[in-house]
């Protein structure tokens, strides 16, 4: 059997398997289950074996695609860059099963294998594989296109809103920093507290805490002040941003519909002329 027959009989079917989206989707789902069990604290050996084999399959998938499409064409695709980067970053986790060395530090025996398997970075990189499922969602590419367009059109509104948060954060830090330092003790804490008010998430706890530490007259002013802040930023401001962002995302679809209507109108005019 020459090299061409071997390649046609064995390598080509294997390459097609690793480039099959349904097969890769099944492997990603299996890997997601294994990662979930690992994060939940399950230490059964077969889970680590499944995770190890899934990593090998992802590596072979990357190699097969680069061989089929070419290295330059492979890395020019956005999803391939995302997949390939995750695969490369997760490669150090393949060494964990082969490291079983015990060392003694300050009279204590430490297992390198157990410590390396608990490195939070590698766990996070394994969890990031979940994002590979996004590529199989219907119309996800079109959704991301609309999202990028919406971000370009609304960056001015978002920047202005962030500036408003920053200004009120400094004001609240100056007014209430000494009264409730847990909310407005520093500018960064104040920014988080103002953002919390604007998202209408437990906002009432902040003015209640200030009211409890001040007189009744100041308490009424504080509650009125934060109610106005909530109305202006949390209800009106956030609703305005949501409406602008949604309209910007839908604009791309509206352009497609408009192009189709223009095309139909031209066809009708041509038919009438004939």
């Amino acid at each position: 059997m020459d090299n061409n027959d071997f390649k046609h009989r064995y390598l080509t079917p294997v390459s097609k398997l690793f480039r099959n989206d349904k097969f890769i989707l099944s492997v990603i789902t299996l890997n997601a289950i294994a990662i979930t069990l690992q994060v939940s604290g399950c230490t059964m050996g077969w889970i680590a074996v499944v995770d190890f084999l899934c990593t090998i399959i992802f590596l072979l998938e990357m190699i097969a695609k680069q061989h089929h499409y070419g290295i330059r064409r492979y890395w020019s695709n956005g999803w391939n860059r995302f997949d390939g980067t995750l695969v490369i970053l997760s490669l150090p986790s393949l060494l964990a099963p082969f490291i079983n060395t015990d060392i003694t530090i300050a009279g204590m025996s430490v297992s390198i294998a157990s410590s390396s398997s608990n490195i939070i970075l590698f766990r996070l990189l394994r969890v990031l594989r979940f994002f590979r499922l996004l590529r199989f969602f219907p119309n996800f590419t079109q959704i991301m296109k609309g999202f990028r367009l919406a971000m370009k059109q609304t960056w001015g509104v978002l920047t202005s809103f962030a500036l408003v948060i920053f200004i009120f954060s400094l004001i609240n830090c100056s007014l209430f920093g000494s009264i409730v330092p847990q909310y407005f003790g520093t500018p960064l804490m104040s920014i988080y507290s103002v953002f919390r008010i604007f998202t209408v998430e437990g906002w009432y706890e902040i003015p209640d805490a200030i009211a409890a530490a001040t007189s009744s007259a100041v308490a009424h002013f504080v509650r009125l002040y934060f109610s106005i802040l909530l109305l202006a930023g949390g209800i009106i401001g956030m609703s305005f941003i949501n409406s602008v962002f949604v309209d910007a995302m839908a604009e791309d679809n509206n352009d497609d519909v408009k192009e189709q209507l223009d095309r139909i109108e031209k066809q009708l005019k041509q038919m009438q002329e004939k």
Side-chain angles (χ1 to χ4, degrees):
M1 181 183 300
D2 57 14
N3 292 333
N4 291 332
D5 292 338
F6 179 80
K7 180 179 178 180
H8 179 73
R9 182 174 298 182
Y10 297 105
L11 295 183
T12 301
V14 172
S15 178
K16 289 183 179 180
L17 176 64
F18 288 113
R19 289 185 286 109
N20 186 287
D21 287 342
K22 293 182 179 180
F23 172 71
I24 296 300
L25 177 60
S26 302
V27 176
I28 294 174
T29 304
L30 180 63
N31 192 210
I33 296 173
I35 293 173
T36 302
L37 293 175
Q38 285 180 325
V39 175
S40 300
C42 296
T43 58
M44 291 181 286
W46 67 268
I47 301 177
V49 173
V50 169
D51 183 64
F52 181 84
L53 292 177
C54 289
T55 304
I56 294 295
I57 292 175
F58 294 147
L59 177 61
L60 294 176
E61 175 206 6
M62 183 180 69
I63 296 174
K65 286 185 175 181
Q66 290 190 48
H67 181 267
H68 180 74
Y69 298 112
I71 297 178
R72 180 175 298 180
R73 184 180 173 188
Y74 174 85
W75 289 102
S76 63
N77 180 273
W79 279 116
N80 289 338
R81 286 198 301 270
F82 178 76
D83 292 345
T85 302
L86 286 182
V87 171
I88 293 173
L89 291 177
S90 61
L91 287 180
S93 63
L94 295 176
L95 300 176
F98 303 101
I99 301 177
N100 294 306
T101 305
D102 293 333
I103 59 176
T104 302
I105 301 178
M108 299 178 61
S109 178
V110 179
S111 175
I112 297 179
S114 61
S115 61
S116 62
S117 62
N118 289 324
I119 296 177
I120 188 64
L121 177 61
F122 290 156
R123 286 191 172 186
L124 290 176
L125 292 176
R126 291 201 297 266
V127 173
L128 286 176
R129 295 178 195 165
F130 286 136
F131 287 106
R132 297 192 66 187
L133 290 171
L134 295 176
R135 64 182 298 182
F136 299 100
F137 288 176
N139 301 323
F140 183 76
T141 303
Q142 187 68 21
I143 294 174
M144 290 303 299
K145 181 181 177 182
F147 177 77
R148 288 193 295 268
L149 179 63
M151 289 299 296
K152 289 181 180 179
Q153 295 186 1
T154 60
W155 70 269
V157 177
L158 295 175
T159 303
S160 300
F161 193 72
L163 181 60
V164 170
I165 292 178
F166 179 73
I167 292 173
F168 278 103
S169 298
L170 295 180
I171 294 174
N172 293 338
C173 183
S174 301
L175 293 176
F176 311 113
S178 60
I179 301 176
V180 282
Q182 67 272 27
Y183 295 119
F184 303 109
T186 64
L188 290 179
M189 295 174 62
S190 185
I191 289 174
Y192 173 73
S193 298
V194 173
F195 183 77
R196 177 180 173 181
I197 294 171
F198 283 179
T199 57
V200 202
E201 180 64 31
W203 70 274
Y204 54 87
E205 297 176 359
I206 297 176
D208 287 347
I210 299 175
T214 57
S215 62
S216 59
V218 176
H220 291 303
F221 165 77
V222 167
R223 289 193 173 99
L224 177 62
Y225 168 76
F226 280 100
S227 297
I228 296 174
L229 191 63
L230 171 68
L231 178 64
I235 298 178
I236 298 177
M238 293 297 291
S239 298
F240 176 74
I241 290 178
N242 289 333
S243 62
V244 171
F245 192 82
V246 171
D247 289 342
M249 286 198 66
E251 183 176 342
D252 184 58
N253 295 329
N254 294 335
D255 292 340
D256 294 338
V257 174
K258 184 178 179 181
E259 290 179 0
Q260 294 178 2
L261 292 176
D262 292 340
R263 193 179 304 114
I264 293 173
E265 184 178 357
K266 290 180 180 179
Q267 292 176 355
L268 290 175
K269 287 182 179 180
Q270 292 176 357
M271 293 175 62
Q272 290 176 357
E273 292 176 356
K274 292 181 179 180

